[in-house]
Amino acid sequence: MEAMARMERPAAEQSEGRKELAAALFDLTQVQKAVTIQQISQEVSYSRSTISKFISGMYKGDEKEVERKLRQWYARYTGTEMEEPGEAPAARRGGEGPQFYGSRDAKAVLGVCQSCQEYGEMGIVTGRSGYGKTYALRRYARSPKTAYIECDTTMSPRDLLKELEQALGIPSRNGTNHDRVRGIVNYLTTNPGWLLIVDEADKLMSRYTYNKMEILRSIFDHCSREDGYSSCGIVVAGEPGLETQIETYLDRYANRTIFRAKLGGLSEAEVEEYLSGRAVEPGALAELKARALNKRTGCFRLLDRTLRNVRRVLEASGETSVSVKVLEQASAMMML
């Protein structure tokens, strides 16, 4: 659907060095939360929008000059020349993993959230269970003015409104659902810049009703400003079928959705990068790749769970490398 623009960095339009710089800035601003885009923009004398677009690969102006200033800023800020972002692989034991891995999917999720919050737009994130969408959404939810809720099939419209009120930190109101929507809208219009993240949104819909999703659309519409944008952004996330349900049954919601991240799981290169620096024997490496890449049963969650158990086995045995035997012992502790 044309209204749902995929939030992905156009690799073909960027040099490797430029992509490397954009990824490092993304890591500093969105993963580590060490500095804000606004702070960078003030120091390099470019607008916040320009820096944001450069990081996402969407800037169409004079990229060379922006890149030059950003490289100078990065060298001053970090005290080092441009390097590949991420955790140094040295001194990592076989089962040890980084706290947060900025995979292609994770960056897409964080990018959609950032864009929806910055521009006051609606976005959607879809992916199979285990691909890491909830982890990335919760990671972004640490940002200021971000309200995260997780839905379930038992939620009524009143439950949804209560969850939103609590996530925003405003008192729950008595009265009709209409009154409570007005209370949320009044708060968001007087405190602009919020992002509402609604995870497991597919559980708000059934074959009989879609009115809970209409509540979200109503909030977004009533927060609209004169310039056409909203004073708050909204990101909904769920299983792959969520997008189809919205396109089929919720036209008014679908045509307001601008940003999209459709998760595809880890690539082989990402699995190798994630495992780099660990002492993993060839046979164990092949099995770990299968657990991450199998399109039917594999996912990031299974790989991560396996590595956590591998770490426990290594700690108990005193070994330092992952062998097939260690992997078998770790798998015996799991329900696969």
mmCIF file of all heavy atoms in Angstrom, residues 303-332:
data_model
loop_
_atom_site.group_PDB
_atom_site.id
_atom_site.type_symbol
_atom_site.label_atom_id
_atom_site.label_comp_id
_atom_site.label_asym_id
_atom_site.label_seq_id
_atom_site.Cartn_x
_atom_site.Cartn_y
_atom_site.Cartn_z
ATOM 1 N N LEU A 303 17.687 -17.870 19.265
ATOM 2 C CA LEU A 303 19.140 -17.756 19.330
ATOM 3 C C LEU A 303 19.574 -17.190 20.680
ATOM 4 O O LEU A 303 20.495 -17.709 21.319
ATOM 5 C CB LEU A 303 19.636 -16.847 18.202
ATOM 6 C CG LEU A 303 21.133 -16.513 18.205
ATOM 7 C CD1 LEU A 303 21.969 -17.773 18.020
ATOM 8 C CD2 LEU A 303 21.453 -15.485 17.117
ATOM 9 N N ASP A 304 18.900 -16.163 21.135
ATOM 10 C CA ASP A 304 19.264 -15.528 22.401
ATOM 11 C C ASP A 304 19.039 -16.466 23.591
ATOM 12 O O ASP A 304 19.882 -16.552 24.496
ATOM 13 C CB ASP A 304 18.448 -14.245 22.580
ATOM 14 C CG ASP A 304 18.857 -13.469 23.817
ATOM 15 O OD1 ASP A 304 20.020 -13.035 23.890
ATOM 16 O OD2 ASP A 304 18.020 -13.299 24.722
ATOM 17 N N ARG A 305 17.918 -17.177 23.587
ATOM 18 C CA ARG A 305 17.645 -18.138 24.666
ATOM 19 C C ARG A 305 18.711 -19.226 24.690
ATOM 20 O O ARG A 305 19.168 -19.644 25.764
ATOM 21 C CB ARG A 305 16.261 -18.771 24.479
ATOM 22 C CG ARG A 305 15.092 -17.877 24.823
ATOM 23 C CD ARG A 305 13.780 -18.567 24.498
ATOM 24 N NE ARG A 305 13.687 -19.859 25.151
ATOM 25 C CZ ARG A 305 13.158 -20.951 24.608
ATOM 26 N NH1 ARG A 305 12.677 -20.910 23.371
ATOM 27 N NH2 ARG A 305 13.112 -22.078 25.268
ATOM 28 N N THR A 306 19.094 -19.702 23.510
ATOM 29 C CA THR A 306 20.124 -20.736 23.436
ATOM 30 C C THR A 306 21.443 -20.241 24.009
ATOM 31 O O THR A 306 22.092 -20.931 24.795
ATOM 32 C CB THR A 306 20.320 -21.185 21.973
ATOM 33 O OG1 THR A 306 19.093 -21.680 21.448
ATOM 34 C CG2 THR A 306 21.376 -22.281 21.885
ATOM 35 N N LEU A 307 21.830 -19.017 23.644
ATOM 36 C CA LEU A 307 23.100 -18.473 24.117
ATOM 37 C C LEU A 307 23.097 -18.246 25.626
ATOM 38 O O LEU A 307 24.126 -18.394 26.288
ATOM 39 C CB LEU A 307 23.421 -17.171 23.387
ATOM 40 C CG LEU A 307 23.814 -17.321 21.913
ATOM 41 C CD1 LEU A 307 23.978 -15.960 21.262
ATOM 42 C CD2 LEU A 307 25.092 -18.130 21.776
ATOM 43 N N ARG A 308 21.944 -17.904 26.172
ATOM 44 C CA ARG A 308 21.872 -17.739 27.628
ATOM 45 C C ARG A 308 22.120 -19.064 28.334
ATOM 46 O O ARG A 308 22.819 -19.124 29.356
ATOM 47 C CB ARG A 308 20.528 -17.143 28.030
ATOM 48 C CG ARG A 308 20.467 -15.627 27.895
ATOM 49 C CD ARG A 308 19.181 -15.066 28.412
ATOM 50 N NE ARG A 308 18.107 -15.205 27.440
ATOM 51 C CZ ARG A 308 16.831 -14.929 27.700
ATOM 52 N NH1 ARG A 308 16.472 -14.538 28.906
ATOM 53 N NH2 ARG A 308 15.920 -15.045 26.767
ATOM 54 N N ASN A 309 21.543 -20.126 27.800
ATOM 55 C CA ASN A 309 21.792 -21.436 28.394
ATOM 56 C C ASN A 309 23.223 -21.911 28.143
ATOM 57 O O ASN A 309 23.822 -22.593 28.990
ATOM 58 C CB ASN A 309 20.792 -22.465 27.861
ATOM 59 C CG ASN A 309 19.478 -22.434 28.617
ATOM 60 O OD1 ASN A 309 19.349 -21.718 29.608
ATOM 61 N ND2 ASN A 309 18.503 -23.203 28.168
ATOM 62 N N VAL A 310 23.771 -21.576 26.980
ATOM 63 C CA VAL A 310 25.161 -21.904 26.703
ATOM 64 C C VAL A 310 26.061 -21.249 27.748
ATOM 65 O O VAL A 310 27.001 -21.872 28.256
ATOM 66 C CB VAL A 310 25.555 -21.437 25.281
ATOM 67 C CG1 VAL A 310 27.068 -21.393 25.117
ATOM 68 C CG2 VAL A 310 24.940 -22.365 24.233
ATOM 69 N N ARG A 311 25.783 -19.988 28.071
ATOM 70 C CA ARG A 311 26.587 -19.299 29.070
ATOM 71 C C ARG A 311 26.528 -20.014 30.424
ATOM 72 O O ARG A 311 27.542 -20.137 31.121
ATOM 73 C CB ARG A 311 26.107 -17.848 29.225
ATOM 74 C CG ARG A 311 26.966 -17.022 30.177
ATOM 75 C CD ARG A 311 26.630 -15.539 30.106
ATOM 76 N NE ARG A 311 25.269 -15.251 30.501
ATOM 77 C CZ ARG A 311 24.296 -14.856 29.684
ATOM 78 N NH1 ARG A 311 24.544 -14.727 28.393
ATOM 79 N NH2 ARG A 311 23.094 -14.584 30.130
ATOM 80 N N ARG A 312 25.355 -20.514 30.792
ATOM 81 C CA ARG A 312 25.216 -21.239 32.060
ATOM 82 C C ARG A 312 26.046 -22.528 32.044
ATOM 83 O O ARG A 312 26.684 -22.881 33.037
ATOM 84 C CB ARG A 312 23.744 -21.553 32.324
ATOM 85 C CG ARG A 312 22.868 -20.317 32.511
ATOM 86 C CD ARG A 312 21.432 -20.682 32.843
ATOM 87 N NE ARG A 312 20.616 -19.492 33.010
ATOM 88 C CZ ARG A 312 19.743 -19.040 32.120
ATOM 89 N NH1 ARG A 312 19.557 -19.713 30.992
ATOM 90 N NH2 ARG A 312 19.039 -17.949 32.358
ATOM 91 N N VAL A 313 26.016 -23.224 30.915
ATOM 92 C CA VAL A 313 26.795 -24.466 30.802
ATOM 93 C C VAL A 313 28.284 -24.163 30.899
ATOM 94 O O VAL A 313 29.038 -24.861 31.589
ATOM 95 C CB VAL A 313 26.473 -25.199 29.474
ATOM 96 C CG1 VAL A 313 27.417 -26.372 29.269
ATOM 97 C CG2 VAL A 313 25.024 -25.675 29.465
ATOM 98 N N LEU A 314 28.729 -23.103 30.213
ATOM 99 C CA LEU A 314 30.147 -22.743 30.243
ATOM 100 C C LEU A 314 30.595 -22.336 31.648
ATOM 101 O O LEU A 314 31.685 -22.693 32.094
ATOM 102 C CB LEU A 314 30.423 -21.604 29.262
ATOM 103 C CG LEU A 314 30.271 -21.928 27.766
ATOM 104 C CD1 LEU A 314 30.484 -20.674 26.930
ATOM 105 C CD2 LEU A 314 31.228 -23.022 27.338
ATOM 106 N N GLU A 315 29.752 -21.603 32.339
ATOM 107 C CA GLU A 315 30.098 -21.190 33.702
ATOM 108 C C GLU A 315 30.203 -22.385 34.638
ATOM 109 O O GLU A 315 31.073 -22.440 35.513
ATOM 110 C CB GLU A 315 29.058 -20.201 34.221
ATOM 111 C CG GLU A 315 29.143 -18.830 33.558
ATOM 112 C CD GLU A 315 27.986 -17.925 33.958
ATOM 113 O OE1 GLU A 315 27.040 -18.418 34.613
ATOM 114 O OE2 GLU A 315 28.030 -16.724 33.605
ATOM 115 N N ALA A 316 29.316 -23.365 34.433
ATOM 116 C CA ALA A 316 29.327 -24.551 35.308
ATOM 117 C C ALA A 316 30.505 -25.470 34.998
ATOM 118 O O ALA A 316 31.076 -26.091 35.903
ATOM 119 C CB ALA A 316 28.016 -25.314 35.161
ATOM 120 N N SER A 317 30.890 -25.551 33.725
ATOM 121 C CA SER A 317 31.943 -26.488 33.323
ATOM 122 C C SER A 317 33.336 -25.874 33.334
ATOM 123 O O SER A 317 34.340 -26.586 33.346
ATOM 124 C CB SER A 317 31.652 -27.019 31.912
ATOM 125 O OG SER A 317 31.730 -25.964 30.954
ATOM 126 N N GLY A 318 33.398 -24.557 33.296
ATOM 127 C CA GLY A 318 34.696 -23.894 33.232
ATOM 128 C C GLY A 318 35.266 -23.819 31.832
ATOM 129 O O GLY A 318 36.370 -23.317 31.642
ATOM 130 N N GLU A 319 34.537 -24.305 30.837
ATOM 131 C CA GLU A 319 35.004 -24.236 29.450
ATOM 132 C C GLU A 319 34.821 -22.824 28.909
ATOM 133 O O GLU A 319 34.051 -22.021 29.445
ATOM 134 C CB GLU A 319 34.245 -25.242 28.591
ATOM 135 C CG GLU A 319 34.447 -26.703 29.017
ATOM 136 C CD GLU A 319 33.692 -27.656 28.111
ATOM 137 O OE1 GLU A 319 33.854 -27.530 26.880
ATOM 138 O OE2 GLU A 319 32.943 -28.496 28.628
ATOM 139 N N THR A 320 35.501 -22.528 27.832
ATOM 140 C CA THR A 320 35.431 -21.189 27.254
ATOM 141 C C THR A 320 34.943 -21.161 25.809
ATOM 142 O O THR A 320 34.686 -20.084 25.274
ATOM 143 C CB THR A 320 36.814 -20.507 27.308
ATOM 144 O OG1 THR A 320 37.756 -21.319 26.604
ATOM 145 C CG2 THR A 320 37.264 -20.304 28.746
ATOM 146 N N SER A 321 34.837 -22.309 25.169
ATOM 147 C CA SER A 321 34.384 -22.335 23.780
ATOM 148 C C SER A 321 33.098 -23.142 23.657
ATOM 149 O O SER A 321 32.827 -24.042 24.450
ATOM 150 C CB SER A 321 35.460 -22.935 22.867
ATOM 151 O OG SER A 321 35.694 -24.282 23.213
ATOM 152 N N VAL A 322 32.311 -22.791 22.637
ATOM 153 C CA VAL A 322 31.032 -23.457 22.403
ATOM 154 C C VAL A 322 31.250 -24.608 21.430
ATOM 155 O O VAL A 322 31.551 -24.401 20.254
ATOM 156 C CB VAL A 322 29.990 -22.478 21.831
ATOM 157 C CG1 VAL A 322 28.647 -23.176 21.677
ATOM 158 C CG2 VAL A 322 29.857 -21.256 22.725
ATOM 159 N N SER A 323 31.084 -25.812 21.917
ATOM 160 C CA SER A 323 31.195 -27.006 21.086
ATOM 161 C C SER A 323 29.797 -27.575 20.852
ATOM 162 O O SER A 323 28.814 -27.119 21.447
ATOM 163 C CB SER A 323 32.056 -28.049 21.790
ATOM 164 O OG SER A 323 31.445 -28.454 23.011
ATOM 165 N N VAL A 324 29.689 -28.557 20.007
ATOM 166 C CA VAL A 324 28.405 -29.228 19.779
ATOM 167 C C VAL A 324 27.910 -29.845 21.082
ATOM 168 O O VAL A 324 26.711 -29.802 21.396
ATOM 169 C CB VAL A 324 28.546 -30.297 18.683
ATOM 170 C CG1 VAL A 324 27.266 -31.119 18.563
ATOM 171 C CG2 VAL A 324 28.881 -29.651 17.341
ATOM 172 N N LYS A 325 28.826 -30.398 21.881
ATOM 173 C CA LYS A 325 28.456 -31.000 23.160
ATOM 174 C C LYS A 325 27.864 -29.953 24.106
ATOM 175 O O LYS A 325 26.828 -30.193 24.748
ATOM 176 C CB LYS A 325 29.677 -31.649 23.802
ATOM 177 C CG LYS A 325 29.396 -32.288 25.149
ATOM 178 C CD LYS A 325 30.656 -32.894 25.754
ATOM 179 C CE LYS A 325 30.372 -33.468 27.152
ATOM 180 N NZ LYS A 325 31.605 -34.035 27.749
ATOM 181 N N VAL A 326 28.507 -28.796 24.189
ATOM 182 C CA VAL A 326 27.983 -27.716 25.041
ATOM 183 C C VAL A 326 26.601 -27.291 24.560
ATOM 184 O O VAL A 326 25.681 -27.065 25.351
ATOM 185 C CB VAL A 326 28.955 -26.514 25.037
ATOM 186 C CG1 VAL A 326 28.296 -25.280 25.657
ATOM 187 C CG2 VAL A 326 30.225 -26.858 25.788
ATOM 188 N N LEU A 327 26.443 -27.194 23.247
ATOM 189 C CA LEU A 327 25.157 -26.791 22.683
ATOM 190 C C LEU A 327 24.078 -27.824 22.993
ATOM 191 O O LEU A 327 22.923 -27.476 23.294
ATOM 192 C CB LEU A 327 25.298 -26.591 21.177
ATOM 193 C CG LEU A 327 24.183 -25.835 20.448
ATOM 194 C CD1 LEU A 327 23.957 -24.473 21.093
ATOM 195 C CD2 LEU A 327 24.550 -25.661 18.985
ATOM 196 N N GLU A 328 24.420 -29.098 22.931
ATOM 197 C CA GLU A 328 23.455 -30.157 23.276
ATOM 198 C C GLU A 328 23.039 -30.059 24.736
ATOM 199 O O GLU A 328 21.865 -30.247 25.070
ATOM 200 C CB GLU A 328 24.074 -31.523 22.971
ATOM 201 C CG GLU A 328 24.203 -31.825 21.487
ATOM 202 C CD GLU A 328 24.941 -33.120 21.213
ATOM 203 O OE1 GLU A 328 25.551 -33.675 22.191
ATOM 204 O OE2 GLU A 328 24.945 -33.582 20.056
ATOM 205 N N GLN A 329 24.005 -29.774 25.604
ATOM 206 C CA GLN A 329 23.675 -29.637 27.027
ATOM 207 C C GLN A 329 22.768 -28.425 27.254
ATOM 208 O O GLN A 329 21.821 -28.485 28.045
ATOM 209 C CB GLN A 329 24.963 -29.481 27.847
ATOM 210 C CG GLN A 329 25.810 -30.742 27.903
ATOM 211 C CD GLN A 329 27.131 -30.509 28.608
ATOM 212 O OE1 GLN A 329 27.836 -29.529 28.360
ATOM 213 N NE2 GLN A 329 27.471 -31.412 29.520
ATOM 214 N N ALA A 330 23.051 -27.330 26.551
ATOM 215 C CA ALA A 330 22.215 -26.141 26.678
ATOM 216 C C ALA A 330 20.815 -26.403 26.138
ATOM 217 O O ALA A 330 19.820 -25.949 26.717
ATOM 218 C CB ALA A 330 22.862 -24.978 25.927
ATOM 219 N N SER A 331 20.716 -27.147 25.040
ATOM 220 C CA SER A 331 19.409 -27.432 24.430
ATOM 221 C C SER A 331 18.570 -28.362 25.301
ATOM 222 O O SER A 331 17.335 -28.267 25.287
ATOM 223 C CB SER A 331 19.623 -28.061 23.053
ATOM 224 O OG SER A 331 20.355 -27.198 22.207
ATOM 225 N N ALA A 332 19.223 -29.224 26.058
ATOM 226 C CA ALA A 332 18.481 -30.133 26.930
ATOM 227 C C ALA A 332 17.719 -29.388 28.012
ATOM 228 O O ALA A 332 16.769 -29.925 28.591
ATOM 229 C CB ALA A 332 19.437 -31.146 27.559
#
